Amino acid sequence: MISDAVRVDFPGLAERTGHFRYGAPHAVTVGADGRRVAFLRSSGPQDPVASLWVLDVATAAESLVAPGPVSAYATDRDARVAAFAREGRVFRADLVRGAVTEVATDETAEDPRPDPLGVSIGYVSHGSGSPSLRVVGPDGDRLLAGEPGNAWREHGGTIGWGVADETARRLGRDRGWWWAPDGTRILAARTAATTSLHLLDLDFGWVDVHWDRETYPHVVSVRWEDGGGPLITVLRRLQQHGLVLAVDPRTGETQVHAELADPRWVEPVPGTPRHLPDGRVLVGGELAHDGFDARCLFADGSLLTPPGLYVRRVVGTAPRPGSPSPDLIVEGTDGDPATQAVFRVRTSLGSGGAEARDATGAPGWHRAVTGGDVLVLDDVVWRGETRVAALGDLSAPLPYAPAPALERVTDRRLPAAVLYPTAFVGGNKIPVLVTLGDGPGHQQVVNDPAAWQERQWWADAGFAVVSIDGRGTPGVAPSFEKVVHRRLVDVSLADQVDALLALQGKHPDLDLGTVAVRGRGAGGWLAAMAVLRRPDVFHRGAARNPIVDWHDEPVVVAERYLGDHRDSADIYEKHALRDAGSHPALLLIGVPSRPSATADEELAFLRGR
């Protein structure tokens, strides 16, 4: 399974379900030459410590390169060299020979990354207080960019180099610096009141990247790979307009390649923008005219994906048999939002128009990584049409074999699911537990057994567990996802209520006279709102770490859903939790009056005991 170790995130339950996937391969990287596949894996289901492994594609042999702990790593272009940090020390792993050596650095390190040729290693250091960017290589360890310690203090600890700030992470960018394809320069973010980008030569030359940072303060994505200069995506503060910019690496000047606009918010497609091998620029966007409502990919303005394909992420490219033009490898959904498949998308437009072929074959929740002519699909390694190997999965089997009944309900065709206790016998009324997970913006109804382990535990505790992906959830269509803008609570609660009532028609054993609801974060906020606003439907609720006041949330999150807080005071007030802590049917967890609660305590409360 290509995923981070699955875990339960509240006390008491993990031990009962065994829901840790220790021993499963994750953090998979395929070299651009297709010769090696690097990945992390622990030694078994009881071992939380991951080690660095490599698969030789030619021989299908796995080798242990670096015993753990290795929490994260990065490789050069062909996955010949890897770098990782351990307690602030940098290590270089030769993935061809299997040797690991410590790299002497002048500062404690995090986020080490080899250059594409595997010669030097860049890293971020906090040695002077302010995050700085350093490079260690044949010329020793050098400071490439940093701020004096007093600048860090004067700006309240918010200024630094090579790191992604909270706004960037909320928008999907978790990195703050990128190597040039030839390894001679670095494109780095400087985080202060606004984010700026700078091209740094290893000989200490410096070029600023120029764009209207006041109008477009959010740097959402940065990509610099073979085939052209850097491509960046920037957004206005309210996220309703963005630009895809091509950066001249010599001068730092930018040219607008594409504009992104939406009256609610712009949702860039992960993995874009990027250069295709023929020089065209791939941009993710939305098609919302002539009856279409789709999340698509465009190459220099030409539609590449069929309108029925909801694109979730662009993985990369892979050769197309019999064609000089490669295929795009894309994770997406075609029809059923509970599934995610891996598609091969033709990049050369023929007379037949856009074409996407499902490469997975079976419904489920599939993921992919690609490099050269190698595709790792879930844990299976393919070279072209030939199955080469499977990455060894040493994890224990999942403790449950859940069988949720997946439905589409109401005239809005809301994705929903009902999960019964393992030994449930029909014909008996059963209390209902509505799970909201992380709340609006996060899918729950997915065709993935790992996603249902925690919910099966709750079901076996005596509930019919119901999950509903109301409007505001990705996977269906852009309009479905964004209709919640400025009316999140009204739309979200209406969908939960309508879907719950509709489900009773298909599942008559649901006892809607005894309905509990639970969630965390934004889901905890919605669970509390459900009990406060619709006590006729939701009789008890538990909210873990709920949002209490949206003014306290990161601005980039709050304004996406509720609009500009400066002229939307009434909307923010409508979405605030008031006097929730004293409500007898509502358990707030992770708030000052109740900082923690075990799963047993939460269960007892939801049962009314």
Side-chain angles (χ1 to χ4, degrees), residues 81-324:
V81 172
F84 59 91
R86 184 181 289 162
E87 296 181 343
R89 299 153 58 195
V90 174
F91 293 85
R92 184 182 189 275
D94 186 327
L95 299 181
V96 178
R97 297 177 177 83
V100 179
T101 56
E102 183 173 356
V103 179
T105 61
D106 294 341
E107 302 278 1
T108 57
E110 63 182 45
D111 192 25
R113 294 178 179 273
D115 71 53
L117 305 182
V119 177
S120 300
I121 296 175
Y123 69 92
V124 174
S125 172
H126 289 265
S128 62
S130 172
S132 59
L133 192 57
R134 306 182 67 92
V135 173
V136 58
D139 297 326
D141 189 332
R142 300 179 296 161
L143 173 67
L144 204 60
E147 303 286 335
N150 61 345
W152 170 255
R153 290 188 292 272
E154 290 171 2
H155 288 81
T158 61
I159 188 171
W161 285 85
V163 294
D165 61 8
E166 176 67 15
T167 295
R169 290 191 292 271
R170 293 285 185 155
L171 289 170
R173 177 174 64 83
D174 58 2
R175 294 181 54 185
W177 66 279
W178 302 264
W179 280 106
D182 61 3
T184 63
R185 283 173 292 180
I186 283 175
L187 177 60
R190 179 181 182 270
T191 300
T194 60
T195 296
S196 57
L197 294 174
H198 309 269
L199 291 153
L200 311 175
D201 291 339
L202 296 193
D203 60 4
F204 303 107
W206 180 304
V207 173
D208 299 330
V209 177
H210 301 284
W211 81 95
D212 185 351
R213 292 194 290 119
E214 184 175 347
T215 303
Y216 297 93
H218 299 322
V219 181
V220 179
S221 65
V222 177
R223 184 175 297 275
W224 196 0
E225 296 179 338
D226 291 336
L231 294 170
I232 66 175
T233 303
V234 295
L235 292 182
R236 288 180 180 265
R237 178 189 145 181
L238 293 180
Q239 306 169 59
Q240 295 166 337
H241 191 269
L243 302 175
V244 174
L245 302 175
V247 181
D248 186 329
R250 299 167 303 164
T251 66
E253 297 299 323
T254 57
Q255 181 178 358
V256 177
H257 185 85
E259 293 190 42
L260 308 172
D262 190 283
R264 291 79 49 99
W265 71 81
V266 168
E267 186 73 53
V269 174
T272 67
R274 67 170 64 216
H275 284 102
L276 295 176
D278 60 9
R280 290 178 296 165
V281 174
L282 184 74
V283 176
E286 293 168 2
L287 198 59
H289 60 81
D290 295 335
F292 293 116
D293 186 8
R295 199 157 185 243
C296 306
L297 297 175
F298 301 85
D300 283 357
S302 297
L303 180 65
L304 285 188
T305 49
L309 176 61
Y310 181 99
V311 177
R312 296 179 182 270
R313 183 174 78 98
V314 176
V315 177
T317 60
R320 181 181 181 89
S323 173

Side-chain angles (χ1 to χ4, degrees), residues 457-548:
W457 182 85
W458 286 97
D460 287 352
F463 293 102
V465 174
V466 171
S467 298
I468 299 158
D469 284 343
R471 287 170 292 174
T473 307
V476 177
S479 65
F480 186 92
E481 186 172 352
K482 298 177 181 181
V483 71
V484 297
H485 183 62
R486 296 173 67 89
R487 53 193 189 117
L488 180 63
V489 68
D490 291 338
V491 173
S492 298
L493 280 184
D495 282 355
Q496 294 293 319
V497 172
D498 293 348
L500 189 57
L501 296 175
L503 281 170
Q504 191 179 39
K506 298 185 176 186
H507 298 267
D509 291 329
L510 299 181
D511 182 2
L512 298 192
T514 309
V515 177
V517 59
R518 66 179 301 268
R520 56 185 175 265
W525 162 80
L526 187 57
M529 282 293 190
V531 174
L532 295 173
R533 300 280 183 88
R534 294 302 304 268
D536 57 317
V537 178
F538 301 98
H539 308 110
R540 300 187 74 79
R544 284 186 175 268
N545 304 311
I547 296 170
V548 176

